[in-house]
Amino acid sequence: MRCGYFEAGVCRSCTQLPVPYAEQLVATETATRAALADVPVDPTAPGWEDAAASREEGFRNKAKMVVGGTVEEPTLGILDPRGHGVDLRHCGLHEPGLHAALPVLADHVRRARLTPYDVPGRKGELKHLLVTISPDGELMVRWVLRSTEALPRLRKHLPWLLEQLPVSVASANIQPEHKAVLEGPEEVLLTEQATLPMRLDVPGHPVVLQLRPQSFFQTNTAVATELYATARRWVGDLEPRRVWDLYSGVGGFALHLATGTGAGPQAGTGADRHVTGVEISEEAVVGARRAARLADLRADFVAGDAVAWATTTDEPRPDLLVVNPPRRGLGADLAAWVEASGVPAVLYSSCHSGSLARDLAAMPSYSLQRARVLDMFPQTTHHEVLVLLTRG
């Protein structure tokens, strides 16, 4: 992949761009295996699978653009060290549909007179533009504003934007504070539709996730699909009847491991399996419940703190525990609870092999059965690793 922004020194986010992609993948897998070298491995188990590669460019389904410049000439990209906007609307990482949408969205900024926020001067309204594209080419567009002052103009010119682009969900996020925070707690929905359908073609179990504003989804749709397909394949060999999915987000793992209620397209094998997802984001839980209902899947979702729920619930212990924590990992308390829980199997998806290794060191009763690196973030050293563990 060639990038004029990188070569000009304008943006250096893709730290591995000078390294051929095949070498990047080998280095990522080697580093991940080294980080987990002390984890006990069942000698009779399948062990490590080949890494899942990504497209080298055009893979990001989400654009997180800082808005700078002026109303007449807005920039969509990042800020330079002085706090001035640097335009990156032609970034090669974005999916083609995002690439095509950003110039139109810049034009909309001009039409709606959305004054870019001037960080050094602490004035202006529009801070960020957050755009997500679904596998079917639909868009979710979110404007992060300092206040509600620009909402009337945004609403006035929204019909023009809907004529230009396939926008299914549009909202304004209000973030009044002057600090490096991407978004605030208040979300104002501007369209009748509130969820962006994310259709993932996992073989044998097609699921349409329902993505709402302020809910997280992996930025690489193709590799996320492979992640859930791998999880489903591994778990199929275990045949668990009860599954907990902690940090369940919009239900990626939970919905792909759940079975049907008997009426829907997913009914059939393992129809007695039940999945419970726990997620602190209420927006994500609303979307997960909607997806489960539309697909007739036997899955419940709880809005709450994963650690507090797992350590206090009266529900029977699961046959399989799925965890997909943030970068910091499970932490000492939850890792200790898992170790003492008696849960026979754990499926752990991690975006940081260092915190994963630390958590697994606190869970010595478990041995590694399967592991796989999934390259969710090409051109960087970041990655996803999925491991299946069973109790000794």
Side-chain angles (χ1 to χ4, degrees), residues 19-26 52-56 375 377-379:
V19 181
Y21 181 64
E23 294 180 19
Q24 291 182 36
L25 198 59
V26 169
S54 170
R55 295 194 300 270
E56 296 183 41
D375 194 16
F377 317 100
Q379 318 304 343

Side-chain angles (χ1 to χ4, degrees), residues 195-219:
T195 60
L196 181 68
M198 300 291 289
R199 176 184 48 79
L200 303 185
D201 293 327
V202 171
H205 196 77
V207 169
V208 180
L209 303 179
Q210 301 291 322
L211 188 62
R212 294 174 63 88
Q214 293 190 300
S215 55
F216 169 79
F217 181 70
Q218 298 282 7
T219 59

Side-chain angles (χ1 to χ4, degrees), residues 41-300:
V41 179
D42 183 345
T44 65
W48 286 87
E49 295 187 2
D50 291 340
S54 170
R55 295 194 300 270
E56 296 183 41
E57 56 186 310
F59 59 84
R60 280 189 66 94
N61 59 35
K62 186 171 185 177
K64 300 179 181 180
M65 314 302 281
V66 179
V67 183
T70 64
V71 172
E72 292 74 19
E73 294 294 335
T75 61
L76 307 181
I78 59 176
L79 298 179
D80 67 17
R82 298 175 298 167
H84 299 153
V86 176
D87 196 88
L88 300 177
R89 72 184 71 177
H90 298 297
C91 173
L93 300 185
H94 297 142
E95 287 192 22
L98 285 181
H99 189 272
L102 290 176
V104 180
L105 289 164
D107 194 13
H108 179 260
V109 170
R110 287 188 286 267
R111 288 173 174 267
R113 308 301 293 174
L114 302 175
T115 308
Y117 184 65
D118 178 3
V119 173
R122 300 194 176 197
K123 59 184 180 180
E125 286 296 319
L126 181 57
K127 294 184 171 183
H128 300 101
L129 189 60
L130 310 178
V131 192
T132 303
I133 188 166
S134 77
D136 295 318
E138 298 178 86
L139 298 172
M140 176 190 291
V141 181
R142 302 172 62 210
W143 294 267
V144 180
L145 304 171
R146 188 174 68 160
S147 73
T148 59
E149 182 273 332
L151 280 179
R153 300 192 302 281
L154 188 54
R155 287 193 172 101
K156 176 182 177 181
H157 293 276
L158 184 59
W160 176 87
L161 183 65
L162 299 182
E163 291 178 356
Q164 307 301 313
L165 294 174
V167 177
S168 297
V169 183
S171 67
N173 179 273
I174 311 303
Q175 205 294 82
E177 298 185 71
H178 180 78
K179 60 181 182 181
V181 176
L182 185 64
E183 58 189 74
E186 182 182 354
E187 198 83 18
V188 180
L189 192 64
L190 302 174
T191 51
E192 183 177 345
Q193 185 170 324
T195 60
L196 181 68
M198 300 291 289
R199 176 184 48 79
L200 303 185
D201 293 327
V202 171
H205 196 77
V207 169
V208 180
L209 303 179
Q210 301 291 322
L211 188 62
R212 294 174 63 88
Q214 293 190 300
S215 55
F216 169 79
F217 181 70
Q218 298 282 7
T219 59
N220 190 324
T221 303
V223 178
T225 301
E226 184 61 26
L227 174 67
Y228 301 135
T230 300
R232 182 170 169 78
R233 174 165 51 85
W234 291 357
V235 170
D237 295 336
L238 299 176
E239 298 183 347
R241 297 186 61 183
R242 181 178 293 275
V243 179
W244 290 359
D245 179 7
L246 305 185
Y247 309 98
S248 57
V250 295
F253 283 105
L255 295 169
H256 283 96
L257 298 181
T259 52
T261 62
Q266 312 298 349
T269 59
D272 59 348
R273 182 186 302 166
H274 186 274
V275 181
T276 300
V278 184
E279 167 59 42
I280 199 166
S281 168
E282 293 186 6
E283 283 286 283
V285 168
V286 171
R289 288 172 176 166
R290 174 178 169 82
R293 183 173 65 253
L294 291 175
D296 293 311
L297 290 171
R298 186 178 278 106
D300 294 327

